[in-house]
């Protein structure tokens, strides 16, 4: 727990950022039913009226003061939501976005041994967006993917933006970068299918107990070489859409696919 003295010695934006993290962590702890030091949290309020932070929060003075007053009289889950609002309000002043990545310690690691792993492989065929790649890793961790194969040209899972959305799962799901020719050879040796437009409705698709699924790039889909491998095996699975758009974000579509495949 950082002392008030240390907070007072920080630069204004650094201090504000630290306060946001303190409030966020306390909100999560209260929401889980854990004990927090209400006295400590309430002692932070005067910092917002100090010479250091007063100019920074001048434009949101009423909102901040209203939240601080609630902190003085609330407890439990009710207080958790107020602290979360206060944390987000500070981030808004700083021009930052609330993200759970921001509140993870640098040495925080996930316990990969807790995963229930299926004999399922995911092939990412030239996904260009690091955000999408990271998001796919997070879904893959949740739905038991044994390995992710990245076709050369796919965004690096270690890119800062991938790490931001993956939330540590690039360390729990094994992955390998391979040339398209190598991937095609691998697919020929196992049941495989593609998540692609124009295929069989996922709700009636015959998912394999073991095998691989190929996810195509955001703009061009699955490459002809890999699509041919899938068509020779199990074919294509598609998501029935009922809106105005012709497709879903690739990471969202992958999450839907993995949930269905994991349920087999």
């Amino acid at each position: 727990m950082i002392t008030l003295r240390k907070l007072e010695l920080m630069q204004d934006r650094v201090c504000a950022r630290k306060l946001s993290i303190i409030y966020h962590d306390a909100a999560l702890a209260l929401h889980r039913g854990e004990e927090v030091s209400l006295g400590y949290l309430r002692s932070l309020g005067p910092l917002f009226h100090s010479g250091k932070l007063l100019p920074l929060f001048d434009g949101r003075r009423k909102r901040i003061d209203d939240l601080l007053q609630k902190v003085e009289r609330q407890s439990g889950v009710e207080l958790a939501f107020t602290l979360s609002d206060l944390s987000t309000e500070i981030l808004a002043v700083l021009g930052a976005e609330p993200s759970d990545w921001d509140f993870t310690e640098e040495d925080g690691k996930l316990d990969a041994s807790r995963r229930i792993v299926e004999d399922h492989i995911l092939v990412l065929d030239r996904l260009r967006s690091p955000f999408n790649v990271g998001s796919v890793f997070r879904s893959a961790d949740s739905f038991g993917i044994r390995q992710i194969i990245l076709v050369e040209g796919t965004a690096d899972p270690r890119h800062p933006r991938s790490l931001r959305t993956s939330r540590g799962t690039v360390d729990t799901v094994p992955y390998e970068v391979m040339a398209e020719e190598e991937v095609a050879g691998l697919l020929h040796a196992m049941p495989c299918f593609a998540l692609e437009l124009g295929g069989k409705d996922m709700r009636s698709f015959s998912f394999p107990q073991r095998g691989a699924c190929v996810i195509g790039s955001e703009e061009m889909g699955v490459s002809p070489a890999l699509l041919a491998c899938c068509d020779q095996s199990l074919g294509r699975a598609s998501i029935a859409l009922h809106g105005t758009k012709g497709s879903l974000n690739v990471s969202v579509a992958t999450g839907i696919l993995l949930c269905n495949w994991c349920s087999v």
Side-chain angles (χ1 to χ4, degrees):
M1 183 180 298
I2 189 168
T3 65
L4 285 175
R5 178 58 178 164
K6 286 185 178 180
L7 287 169
E8 290 170 345
L9 293 175
M10 293 178 179
Q11 295 180 353
D12 54 357
R13 295 181 66 86
V14 176
C15 178
R17 179 68 173 175
K18 188 61 180 178
L19 286 171
S20 175
I21 294 173
I22 291 171
Y23 288 132
H24 176 271
D25 289 347
L28 291 184
L30 284 169
H31 196 263
R32 292 191 295 260
E34 300 172 3
E35 291 187 4
V36 300
S37 174
L38 298 183
Y40 174 73
L41 292 174
R42 290 165 180 164
S43 72
L44 302 176
L47 287 173
F48 291 92
H49 295 275
S50 67
K52 180 192 299 292
L53 296 183
L54 191 62
L56 191 61
F57 291 97
D58 187 57
R60 294 178 181 259
R61 175 59 48 205
K62 184 178 185 307
R63 173 64 170 161
I64 293 290
D65 285 347
D66 287 346
L67 291 171
L68 290 174
Q69 289 175 17
K70 289 183 179 180
V71 171
E72 290 294 322
R73 62 176 185 268
Q74 290 178 340
S75 61
V77 176
E78 186 181 34
L79 177 58
F81 280 87
T82 296
L83 293 174
S84 179
D85 287 343
L86 187 52
S87 174
T88 301
E89 195 70 19
I90 295 171
L91 290 179
V93 169
L94 297 176
E97 293 292 333
S99 168
D100 48 6
W101 171 266
D102 294 333
F103 306 106
T104 300
E105 297 297 332
E106 291 183 358
D107 60 351
K109 293 184 179 180
L110 301 175
D111 183 3
S113 67
R114 298 182 61 182
R115 295 187 66 222
I116 298 175
V117 179
E118 307 284 350
D119 196 7
H120 298 167
I121 294 174
L122 201 58
V123 177
L124 305 188
D125 183 15
R126 302 174 178 85
L127 269 63
R128 307 301 191 188
S129 166
F131 283 124
N132 284 337
V133 169
S135 182
V136 167
F137 264 84
R138 185 165 182 174
S139 295
D141 173 88
S142 296
F143 292 113
I145 291 298
R146 176 165 62 84
Q147 181 186 26
I148 293 179
I149 295 175
L150 311 169
V151 179
E152 287 182 342
T154 298
D156 185 355
R158 297 288 173 182
H159 187 286
R161 293 175 182 173
S162 295
L163 293 174
R164 182 168 184 167
T165 52
S166 71
R167 292 291 288 117
T169 54
V170 295
D171 294 319
T172 63
V173 182
Y175 66 90
E176 183 178 356
V177 179
M178 298 175 64
E180 183 182 67
E181 295 77 11
E182 294 179 274
V183 177
L186 182 69
L187 294 179
H188 279 305
M190 67 175 67
C192 63
F193 64 100
L195 175 61
E196 188 61 281
L197 299 173
K200 188 172 184 179
D201 191 322
M202 191 175 297
R203 292 170 293 188
S204 57
F205 187 79
S206 297
F207 289 99
Q209 292 290 335
R210 59 170 294 273
C213 175
V214 183
I215 309 295
S217 70
E218 295 87 346
E219 293 183 332
M220 302 178 67
V222 180
S223 70
L226 300 186
L227 195 56
C229 296
C230 295
D231 286 344
Q232 292 169 15
S233 182
L234 299 172
R236 314 177 192 189
S238 299
I239 300 171
L241 301 176
H242 303 277
T244 59
K245 297 292 289 182
S247 63
L248 291 167
N249 171 274
V250 65
S251 65
V252 173
T254 301
I256 294 172
L257 164 85
L258 295 181
C259 182
N260 281 272
W261 195 7
C262 184
S263 301
V264 175

